Amino acid sequence: MIIESAGGGLAGALREWRTRRRVSQLELAVRAGTTQRHVSFIESGRSVPGRSMIIRLAESLEVPIRERNELLLAAGFAPAYPQTDLDDPQLAAVRTALDRVLHGHLPYPAVIVDRHGDLVSANAGFHMITRGVDPHLLAPPVSVPRVLLHPRGLASRILNLDEWAWHIIDRIHAESARNPSDRLRLLAAELVGLAPPRPRQLPPHHLGFAVPLHLRMSEPENRELRLITTLTHFGTATDITIAELRLEAFLPADETTSTALTELVTW
């Protein structure tokens, strides 16, 4: 039985994900507990995989669960992963947990964002560092990368803007390449237009991906903060909404910043 031509449908999508992940048919077969011959037949449209095999192959390729549903639909199966609105009563416990995580990071800024970097929730620390940002940038949906890099956002107060801006842009490009998204590609293009030229020479303190945010506060006293960021996601979630949430926390890179945030943030 032929499920589709080798150029599209499940066969084409699976081959595309495998190529994107740079995984051979043999390696994918070992990961998924099948044979290279079976993987080859699926990718050529000569074999019909079962629902569980599609899920195993997708899991082995670290395909996001939203796109796993698309693979299942392409093969004629119902989606396996629900997408529940975050305001739904079913997710009350999740919302409570998120609020506790955000509160637990105080007095340090922290946000919850979705897969596109749009703000879901933020703590008082983040609201403090974004004082003075153009209200239009803080009107929902709030794009956190745009708030950081827009001239009417925090850009004018970021002392290492050339380095930090390209750190953000490169991260968005990498995420878009790994998990394709038209919105992320458009956002990256917009931010490239806002960013200063990429530095030709890296500063002597450059540490690759570990780029601190050097931020000057507008008030009070024009204090300067040095912040490092951490990203956390919910790796065991089976609901699309939860799986696509990201926690980004801005932590002090020195004791001066820690003291300033403790003094400035109202809990």
Side-chain angles (χ1 to χ4, degrees):
M1 177 179 178
I2 307 297
I3 54 176
E4 73 267 309
S5 68
L10 175 65
L14 180 62
R15 186 170 57 254
E16 183 179 343
W17 278 107
R18 183 177 60 78
T19 301
R20 184 177 294 121
R21 297 295 191 252
R22 300 182 179 180
V23 174
S24 68
Q25 287 184 345
L26 177 58
E27 184 178 354
L28 176 58
V30 170
R31 291 182 185 181
T34 186
T35 65
Q36 181 180 359
R37 179 183 176 87
H38 191 197
V39 172
S40 177
F41 275 29
I42 293 172
E43 289 191 359
S44 65
R46 297 171 62 190
S47 180
V48 182
R51 183 175 182 272
S52 61
M53 175 54 68
I54 294 172
I55 292 175
R56 280 159 54 191
L57 291 169
E59 186 175 25
S60 300
L61 291 171
E62 299 180 357
V63 176
I65 62 175
R66 178 186 294 274
E67 283 72 23
R68 293 184 199 182
N69 276 348
E70 294 178 1
L71 292 177
L72 289 166
L73 286 169
F77 295 103
Y81 306 94
Q83 182 172 6
T84 309
D85 192 280
L86 194 57
D87 293 329
D88 193 288
Q90 295 182 59
L91 298 186
V94 174
R95 293 195 303 274
T96 299
L98 294 175
D99 289 341
R100 287 174 177 170
V101 169
L102 289 174
H103 185 77
H105 275 280
L106 287 172
Y108 311 139
V111 294
I112 304 288
V113 298
D114 65 15
R115 70 190 307 221
H116 300 117
D118 288 346
L119 184 67
V120 174
S121 188
N123 67 7
F126 184 76
H127 293 311
M128 186 276 296
I129 67 171
T130 55
R131 288 176 188 165
V133 168
D134 189 317
H136 288 92
L137 293 173
L138 298 178
V142 179
S143 170
V144 172
R146 186 179 293 117
V147 168
L148 289 169
L149 301 187
H150 198 281
R152 296 194 300 274
L154 292 180
S156 63
R157 294 196 270 122
I158 297 178
L159 302 181
N160 60 335
L161 180 61
D162 53 352
E163 189 180 15
W164 175 259
W166 287 100
H167 165 67
I168 295 294
I169 293 167
D170 288 343
R171 192 174 75 189
I172 294 173
H173 275 144
E175 177 62 23
S176 181
R178 182 169 176 79
N179 301 310
S181 164
D182 289 339
R183 280 194 60 190
L184 283 181
R185 283 193 290 271
L186 290 172
L187 176 61
E190 176 190 343
L191 297 181
V192 167
L194 296 176
R198 187 188 290 270
R200 292 188 176 183
Q201 291 186 337
L202 298 176
H205 61 272
H206 181 74
L207 296 174
F209 66 88
V211 179
L213 171 61
H214 193 180
L215 181 68
R216 183 182 65 248
M217 296 300 300
S218 60
E219 59 180 45
E221 302 172 6
N222 289 324
R223 293 195 188 190
E224 294 182 5
L225 306 177
R226 293 183 61 85
L227 301 161
I228 55 177
T229 59
T230 63
L231 284 172
T232 307
H233 67 92
F234 301 85
T236 58
T238 56
D239 187 290
I240 293 174
T241 299
I242 303 171
E244 292 180 347
L245 295 179
R246 301 288 184 270
L247 166 71
E248 182 160 11
F250 297 78
L251 305 175
D254 53 42
E255 191 60 35
T256 300
T257 299
S258 178
T259 300
L261 288 171
T262 301
E263 293 175 356
L264 294 173
V265 176
T266 302
W267 293 40

